[in-house]
Amino acid sequence: MAEGGRQKAERPAPSAISIQPSAVWDALASVPDPEIPVVSITDMGMVRDVTVGDAGGVTVTFTPTFSGCPALHVIRDSIEQAVRDLGVTDVEVKSTLTPPWTTDWIGDDARERLRQYGIAPPAPTGEGQLIQLDVEPTRCPRCGSLNVRMTASFGPTLCKRMYVCDSCREPFEGFKSV
Amino acid sequence: MTTTPTTLTDPQAQALLLKLTVLADDEIILAHRDGEWTGHAPILEEDIALANIAQDELGHAGLYLSLAQTLGGSDPDQVAFWRGPDDYRNTRLVELPKGDWAFTMVRQFLYDTSEALWLEAATRSTYASLAEIAAKAVREEKFHVQHTALWVERLALGTPESERRTQAALTELWPHAAQLFQPVEGEAELTASGILPDLNAVHARWTDLITWHLVDKCGLTLPDAPTTQPGRDTHTEHLAPLLEEMQSVARQHPDAEVW
């Protein structure tokens, strides 16, 4: 496991003293999700916390979307790089599982960007039921019809499923409601 | 009351370490069998589905092994890639060769339902890190259950040939399924402390659920339950070649950081 570990500053960065958490949040808002580049990791609700220490060190806490997501190390490295690009040399990226990530955290404008990109945004999760054999209603991102069929319950990434719209005949991907 | 690593007694920590290893081993071995379908599944979508499921199961194994590491276990990569068949503690259910599609789906269904029900119970663990992992993993596992339940139904109620194969798979797998509910040494104590779910209660819920699906809905016949079970330290002849293949890259490149 080569990842993790606190990166020690070799020399103090002059600009690091004045860095504000809001500047870090802004920087992270421009880090795209590696698998869905139209949304950022903050749009996805993956960044849970940003703290700036007295000495200017920055700690970012993020939560993985899916535990087996192969993009996790890319996301971790991207977070670290985005903060370093602000001139911060002391960066720590931590991960947390609590509370578990849910698609309910995806913001409204990000949902709209997903839809325009051709991915049906996730429905509300409706927490509480373990085994739901019925799949949540999904709208075609192209024509808006609910007359759609799921053609595969697992898509090209862990977070998506495959559908076909019976109204406009287009196949599309839908975000799983997690 | 919440249990933390510092409030565990030494025997509790050892038993929990063993349990986490057992859970991870089942996930790793099953993920490998699922991965064997890559490029061979009946349709492209199922090829992708099994690769997705395998990824999730490996993700869960990673979570269990990271937790084990905090209790004094080895590095997760070390555990997965440098132990031989004598040290693996997976069930026979998951190590059997992948068989035909019905065999794969019935096995996955038996396993997914047990995992989902166990995880759901484990979200109430007094051991906070385990409860967190369970809350994360159970959200992913419900997709596996939905998927494989549907496939078993489709195959069982499909053609006479698909029904015959599905029943044959169930008959072959059934004697091994009960091993999923075999407690590890010291598990009773951890259950009494609220750290682990009550395995008997999970077993009972599982039996109800799969009987409803397999017998009532799909018209399959459950064979008689086996009277005895081998321990998780005995394996079929199929595990050694599986590990040989799974570990070959790591063993050829022991210095690599990622493989």
Side-chain angles (χ1 to χ4, degrees):
Chain A
M1 298 265 146
E3 56 187 34
R6 197 175 171 86
Q7 309 288 327
K8 282 290 172 198
E10 286 174 12
R11 58 189 166 79
S15 62
I17 307 302
S18 59
I19 195 90
Q20 293 295 317
S22 58
V24 177
W25 278 102
D26 288 347
L28 295 175
S30 63
V31 175
D33 181 303
E35 288 178 337
I36 313 167
V38 290
V39 288
S40 76
I41 58 172
T42 54
D43 286 334
M44 296 290 285
M46 292 172 67
V47 180
R48 305 308 302 161
D49 192 35
V50 172
T51 56
V52 180
D54 292 340
V58 172
T59 303
V60 179
T61 305
F62 85 106
T63 189
T65 52
F66 282 74
S67 55
C69 177
L72 282 182
H73 71 280
V74 177
I75 294 168
R76 183 184 279 274
D77 291 350
S78 304
I79 290 174
E80 189 178 323
Q81 192 55 50
V83 182
R84 283 187 186 285
D85 288 348
L86 294 173
V88 180
T89 46
D90 187 5
V91 185
E92 184 181 14
V93 183
K94 294 199 296 195
S95 61
T96 180
L97 294 175
T98 305
W101 182 79
T102 165
T103 43
D104 290 346
W105 294 346
I106 300 176
D108 286 344
D109 59 328
R111 285 168 189 266
E112 177 56 19
R113 261 177 283 138
L114 283 173
R115 194 192 61 73
Q116 287 176 4
Y117 190 59
I119 301 173
T125 50
E127 289 287 45
Q129 271 204 295
L130 170 62
I131 294 158
Q132 293 164 281
L133 294 180
D134 293 328
V135 175
E136 63 275 4
T138 296
R139 238 177 233 290
C140 172
R142 180 175 295 262
C143 72
S145 170
L146 283 167
N147 184 20
V148 304
R149 272 180 297 126
M150 188 171 72
T151 50
S153 48
F154 292 88
T157 66
L158 288 175
C159 51
K160 285 175 284 181
R161 295 173 148 165
M162 302 302 296
Y163 295 82
V164 167
C165 176
D166 280 337
S167 293
C168 72
R169 303 283 170 199
E170 285 291 331
F172 66 93
E173 297 175 341
F175 214 104
K176 282 177 186 167
S177 178
V178 179
Chain B
M1 197 190 79
T2 304
T3 314
T4 64
T6 46
T7 58
L8 285 180
T9 65
D10 195 46
Q12 281 181 329
Q14 289 312 309
L16 185 53
L17 181 57
L18 178 58
K19 181 70 181 186
L20 292 167
T21 308
V22 156
L23 291 164
D25 285 357
D26 275 346
E27 303 270 39
I28 293 168
I29 301 302
L30 185 59
H32 187 86
R33 287 294 184 219
D34 288 341
E36 287 178 340
W37 280 101
T38 305
H40 300 279
I43 50 174
L44 178 63
E45 285 80 359
E46 285 313 307
D47 212 296
I48 294 167
L50 273 187
N52 271 246
I53 290 172
Q55 252 178 25
D56 279 339
E57 308 294 24
L58 282 179
H60 301 169
L63 294 176
Y64 289 136
L65 292 180
S66 300
L67 193 49
Q69 197 174 13
T70 65
L71 292 169
S74 302
D75 174 87
D77 285 343
Q78 193 74 26
V79 176
F81 294 111
W82 295 92
R83 282 181 307 151
D86 292 345
D87 294 323
Y88 257 85
R89 289 291 175 271
N90 59 279
T91 56
R92 292 168 168 238
L93 179 81
V94 295
E95 74 192 30
L96 295 173
K98 76 181 197 300
D100 62 14
W101 189 246
F103 186 88
T104 295
M105 287 296 110
V106 172
R107 166 161 63 188
Q108 197 68 35
F109 176 72
L110 295 173
Y111 183 83
D112 289 342
T113 45
S114 75
E115 190 190 352
L117 291 170
W118 189 87
L119 285 170
E120 197 265 333
T123 59
R124 293 184 291 277
S125 169
T126 57
Y127 195 70
S129 333
L130 178 61
E132 285 176 13
I133 285 176
K136 180 77 188 162
V138 75
R139 288 159 175 263
E140 298 165 358
E141 200 57 33
K142 75 173 185 187
F143 292 109
H144 304 187
V145 174
Q146 287 175 353
H147 187 72
T148 53
L150 192 59
W151 259 109
V152 169
E153 189 181 339
R154 186 181 283 151
L155 292 167
L157 302 177
T159 66
E161 176 64 5
S162 72
E163 183 196 351
R164 182 188 70 73
R165 287 182 183 230
T166 310
Q167 182 62 55
L170 182 59
T171 304
E172 186 179 345
L173 287 161
W174 188 246
H176 302 290
Q179 216 188 354
L180 291 168
F181 302 99
Q182 205 174 47
V184 303
E185 198 182 330
E187 182 157 347
E189 212 283 299
L190 291 179
T191 300
S193 310
I195 296 169
L196 288 181
D198 178 352
L199 207 50
N200 291 324
V202 175
H203 195 173
R205 286 189 66 198
W206 177 80
T207 304
D208 285 349
L209 179 72
I210 64 145
T211 303
W212 172 75
H213 190 71
L214 296 176
V215 178
D216 300 351
K217 202 166 178 187
C218 300
L220 298 168
T221 306
L222 289 183
D224 290 334
T227 47
T228 56
Q229 278 293 328
R232 277 175 173 261
D233 51 354
T234 63
H235 295 287
T236 65
E237 71 274 24
H238 306 296
L239 182 61
L242 181 154
L243 289 178
E244 195 175 328
E245 183 185 326
M246 187 182 92
Q247 299 174 334
S248 62
V249 176
R251 288 177 185 265
Q252 278 171 40
H253 303 280
D255 300 327
E257 287 187 18
V258 177
W259 50 78

